[in-house]
Amino acid sequence: MYCINGMDPVFDTLLTEKDRYCFNLFYRIREGAGAYIAMDGSTCILAQSNLHTPVWIWLKNSPDEKSCAEISSILRERFSVCDRISVNAYGPYTEALLRSFADSEHAEYRINKRLNVYACSSVRPVQKRGRLLPAAPCHQEEIARLITIMMRDADLQEPDREEARQYTEEKSVSGSLFLWENEEGKIVSMTDITHRTARYARLNAVVTAREHRGHRYAEMLVSSVTQQLLRDGLAPMLYADAGYPPSNAVYRKIGYVKQGEIMEQEIFRKG
């Protein structure tokens, strides 16, 4: 394995079209000044924004003994600095490797989540009630409320008042956050175009206020944003929790097609 810089064309030449969707985070990682990116020339790419973010590992096939040793060596270096490493990869190619690595480090291994990867080339008609709104400073209170709901839904720590303020101030003028206003004039759903390249646009943070769920507002929102991205010549994609069938059903209904799966795995010190 040897290090490469973010401008290396390997991401476009080595990865298949489906790989580019499944490992779309590579395009975000490669933009970071402190990113670590390594490859073996033909079968493996490993990338991480910094020591505190997930390691993404692409493998062309199940790794051989040499590849396992090289990947383990890189992970060991990172594990010596942090007591916890998150690894996002194709599960069948990495689970045995990571379990073995955890055992060698007297650490624990677990699967946190399985993600379905979706992309959309055309949107199916969706009946809409209400309208799409780009987020603006006047929406900061609604944005803060929706991001708090999203964190609760994901069993994550809720942002404190200052974190929520910073997030809402930034996102309300970012041009990437979109809201759905229902027929009663209430902001009920939110999504963020969290990253764009010249070719792809990745959606994230899809959430609907709990009291307004069941009315298909997220479907209307994501459909409208997806149509706008397609008109701009971009390929919309997103990751969806495989363990939550309702959201997967919504994306498929809109026209998103599954491209593959990513497994969120974690290695951490015992105790």
Side-chain angles (χ1 to χ4, degrees):
M1 299 279 283
Y2 56 91
C3 291
I4 60 174
N5 64 52
M7 298 304 294
D8 195 292
V10 65
F11 300 103
D12 296 313
T13 59
L14 193 57
L15 274 61
T16 66
E17 182 66 16
K18 287 192 174 184
D19 287 336
R20 293 180 200 127
Y21 286 117
C22 292
F23 293 87
N24 199 263
L25 262 291
F26 279 159
Y27 295 102
R28 176 65 186 89
I29 294 171
R30 71 189 294 184
E31 296 173 357
Y36 176 87
I37 308 172
M39 68 172 299
D40 68 352
S42 59
T43 66
C44 178
I45 302 173
L46 185 152
Q48 185 181 29
S49 293
N50 59 65
L51 289 172
H52 304 289
T53 58
V55 177
W56 283 77
I57 302 175
W58 170 83
L59 289 160
K60 186 175 182 179
N61 41 46
S62 187
D64 58 19
E65 186 174 343
K66 180 183 177 182
S67 294
C68 286
E70 291 180 330
I71 293 169
S72 294
S73 177
I74 294 172
L75 293 178
R76 187 168 294 111
E77 179 182 342
R78 281 155 155 64
F79 202 45
S80 68
V81 178
C82 302
D83 289 334
R84 187 178 300 267
I85 299 178
S86 295
V87 177
N88 294 344
Y90 180 54
Y93 289 171
T94 55
E95 183 174 354
L97 160 64
L98 295 178
R99 286 187 183 277
S100 177
F101 172 78
D103 289 342
S104 71
E105 295 294 313
H106 306 289
E108 299 280 358
Y109 166 89
R110 69 182 174 202
I111 298 169
N112 282 339
K113 189 183 295 184
R114 290 176 171 84
L115 300 174
N116 289 329
V117 186
Y118 290 100
C120 185
S121 59
S122 63
V123 176
R124 298 192 184 106
V126 171
Q127 184 176 3
K128 297 170 185 175
R129 305 182 313 279
R131 60 173 179 159
L132 179 70
L133 293 176
C138 62
H139 300 129
Q140 288 186 17
E141 183 177 338
E142 289 92 342
I143 296 169
R145 179 171 58 90
L146 288 167
I147 195 64
T148 299
I149 292 170
M150 186 183 72
M151 299 297 275
R152 288 174 183 166
D153 287 348
D155 293 324
L156 298 174
Q157 183 177 346
E158 295 179 25
D160 60 31
R161 185 181 297 273
E162 180 60 21
E163 290 172 333
R165 184 191 65 78
Q166 291 179 353
Y167 178 88
T168 56
E169 285 186 357
E170 175 187 341
K171 286 297 182 181
S172 66
V173 295
S174 67
S176 68
L177 193 71
F178 291 87
L179 308 170
W180 192 260
E181 182 185 78
N182 71 3
E183 55 271 51
E184 298 174 353
K186 296 179 179 179
I187 302 298
V188 294
S189 291
M190 175 180 79
T191 191
D192 185 30
I193 304 172
T194 192
H195 186 246
R196 298 178 193 235
T197 69
R199 184 173 182 181
Y200 302 102
R202 176 164 48 90
L203 277 68
N204 194 12
V206 180
V207 61
T208 298
R210 291 179 178 178
E211 66 273 20
H212 293 289
R213 292 178 183 175
H215 299 283
R216 300 169 46 215
Y217 292 129
E219 178 184 328
M220 301 172 200
L221 170 64
V222 174
S223 172
S224 297
V225 173
T226 301
Q227 284 180 317
Q228 183 170 306
L229 292 171
L230 289 170
R231 285 195 296 268
D232 291 342
L234 296 173
M237 61 82 53
L238 52 83
Y239 298 97
D241 184 350
Y244 190 64
S247 62
N248 286 260
V250 166
Y251 302 139
R252 290 194 298 268
K253 183 177 180 181
I254 291 169
Y256 278 85
V257 177
K258 185 176 175 179
Q259 304 297 310
E261 299 177 3
I262 292 292
M263 184 185 290
E264 291 186 353
Q265 302 160 90
E266 189 173 32
I267 300 164
F268 55 97
R269 301 286 183 193
K270 295 180 180 179

